Amino acid sequence: MTATTAENTPAPPLPGGSHPQRWLILGVICLAQLTVLLDNTVLNVAIPSLTTELQASSTDIQWMINAYSLVQSGLLLTAGSSADRYGRKKMLSAGLVLFGLGSLAAGLAQTSAQLIAARAGMGIGGALLMTTTLAVIVQVFAEHERVRAIALWSTVSSLGVAAGPLLGGLVLDHFWWGAIFLINIPVAVLALVAVLALVPESKSGAGERPDLVGALLSTVGMTSVVYAIISGPEHGWTSGQVLVAAGGGAVVLAAFVLWELRSEHPMLDMHFFRNERFVGAVAGSILVAFGMGGSLYLLTQHLQFVLGYAPLEAGLRIAPLAVSVVVLNVVGVGALLLRRFGTPRTIALGMTLIAAGLAGIALLGGRSYEGMLAGLVVMGAGIAFAGPAMANAIMSAIPPAKAGVGAGVNGTLAEFGNGLGVAVLGAVLNSRFAALFPAAAGAVSLPVALASANGEVERQQVRNAFASGLQTSQLVGAAAVLTGGLLAALLLRRAERKTPAAPPQAGPSVPVPSE
């Protein structure tokens, strides 16, 4: 029976374009988002248990972690396009169901292969959730409140980074490894009930045919490129496995661009890239993710290998970065700055602070955590200012009817930037390490180099070379973030001067009653 009742018909929007229950809906959206983000980091602390209880090899562990991120990153654009066409509420609900079922399968897995398959299934649900949550925010919030809402939404990312390892450690202290997946189920069920009750349906009213070829090409291309980025540090950047994946992915993505340019109903309208505001936001978004992903990769090694902290202790000491992001976004400082100074200046300020934080960690945190702490707080402030402004700039440059695709672009850029940051800054670290201590050139990590060192004097030389390599890579990251931030701000400023008015809309996004 599909009769529409007063209870399940969405309330009419307010005159300003906002939904009357928008803040409650935002809470539901953030709950769904947090479930996905926690799962990105919580698995790392369970690696010893998985190795013992499932007899998982190092390759198995790698695929347990990467199956989720590969599937999710490859499907983001397709998931966003599907949400626009078939309904954002439907796709958000489907994402929660798939994520919950995948979590159940993962928690009950008896072999490594079963767990890898379950994680891939969770990646499908994660792609739907990551795109539809941001798209729904665009639908229920008017422009004057959207930046604050996006800032609170992005805060959940920082909570996921900080809380994932801590939650995983707490659960493993009392339960078996499968519990880290089963705890997702009640959260997913609660979020699903709330989505069905509160979130209004919205979808594009254009009646476009699905772009199946574009979906296939984008999925294959992005999966191949992300796989190459993930595999590079382990197999070597010049290995055949990595080069074939990277080259094949680049060719498929080029074919995707050509197809989209010629398609009557493209999944991603390539003409968006003629919009300097969109291009500036895209460039900045990649570099925010570049700095964030690369710096966290380096910081983890810095705290454990140079300063000697255990994994959980290292996680606790990274927490001030996330705390500063959360506090500033909850208070609304970023949204206030954006209203007062505009998008280009806010992004320039945020990216400058991220660069300053990275440089501060490199120059002051080499021998003590106290010197690193100030850099973490400054970097967190930069992320709080630049991240929401960048996401809002991307979503504002895309018509509301394509909000799902816009969210897919934003998520894809974050995945790509994170992987690129780890790859590039990790390569700089390894290159500097090998240059300063040639005997460690064949070592794949600091522990291996230390184990092969002869005597304490040589071990100290290894540590010093590694610390110097970390400092160099952090400074390279700081320079890249600063340059990219200023470039993004310049492009956005030029775009504002040319088109001060709101971007033209390609068609309305029509709310339809829930069924």
Side-chain angles (χ1 to χ4, degrees), residues 338 341-349 485 488-490 492-493 496:
L338 192 61
F341 299 114
T343 301
R345 291 181 181 177
T346 303
I347 288 175
L349 173 61
L490 176 62
L492 288 166
R493 180 63 176 162
E496 286 188 355

Side-chain angles (χ1 to χ4, degrees), residues 227-482:
Y227 174 77
I229 292 174
I230 290 173
S231 302
E234 179 183 2
H235 299 291
W237 295 105
T238 58
S239 67
Q241 182 175 339
V242 172
L243 290 177
V244 168
V251 169
V252 173
L253 288 177
F256 168 71
V257 172
L258 293 174
W259 173 263
E260 297 299 283
L261 286 170
R262 298 178 180 181
S263 176
E264 186 178 351
H265 299 290
M267 184 174 71
L268 175 60
D269 189 345
M270 290 297 155
H271 294 97
F272 291 147
F273 290 93
R274 295 180 181 176
N275 183 334
E276 287 190 7
R277 186 178 185 187
F278 180 76
V279 172
V282 163
S285 184
I286 290 176
L287 285 161
V288 166
F290 178 95
M292 183 75 170
S295 65
L296 288 177
Y297 168 73
L298 297 174
L299 281 171
T300 302
Q301 297 188 64
H302 193 146
L303 287 164
Q304 294 184 60
F305 295 152
V306 176
L307 299 183
Y309 293 109
L312 185 57
E313 294 174 328
L316 287 171
R317 281 162 177 79
I318 292 176
L321 184 150
V323 170
S324 63
V325 176
V326 171
V327 170
L328 289 171
N329 278 339
V330 169
V331 173
V333 176
L336 180 64
L337 286 175
L338 192 61
R339 286 196 299 270
R340 183 163 184 175
F341 299 114
T343 301
R345 291 181 181 177
T346 303
I347 288 175
L349 173 61
M351 300 287 271
T352 300
L353 288 174
I354 294 173
L358 278 169
I361 291 168
L363 299 174
L364 303 177
R367 292 288 177 259
S368 70
Y369 176 72
E370 289 72 18
M372 182 183 291
L373 180 59
L376 288 171
V377 173
V378 171
M379 189 176 168
I383 293 168
F385 299 157
M390 214 84 70
N392 186 65
I394 290 175
M395 299 305 291
S396 298
I398 290 181
K402 295 290 186 181
V405 170
V409 170
N410 186 69
T412 301
L413 294 176
E415 292 287 338
F416 182 72
N418 278 325
L420 197 63
V422 171
V424 173
L425 299 188
V428 173
L429 165 62
N430 292 334
S431 176
R432 179 66 174 165
F433 183 31
L436 291 174
F437 196 77
V444 295
S445 66
L446 178 64
V448 173
L450 287 172
S452 61
N454 296 317
E456 183 57 34
V457 173
E458 190 166 308
R459 278 192 287 272
Q460 188 58 47
Q461 291 175 343
V462 171
R463 293 190 189 96
N464 291 339
F466 188 82
S468 179
L470 275 171
Q471 182 184 69
T472 300
S473 56
Q474 286 163 338
L475 290 174
V476 169
V481 169
L482 179 60

Side-chain angles (χ1 to χ4, degrees), residues 81-106:
S81 178
S82 299
D84 288 335
R85 177 175 173 79
Y86 300 110
R88 292 155 192 128
K89 179 176 181 175
K90 289 186 181 68
M91 293 298 104
L92 179 55
S93 301
L96 285 166
V97 170
L98 288 172
F99 194 83
L101 291 175
S103 298
L104 177 62

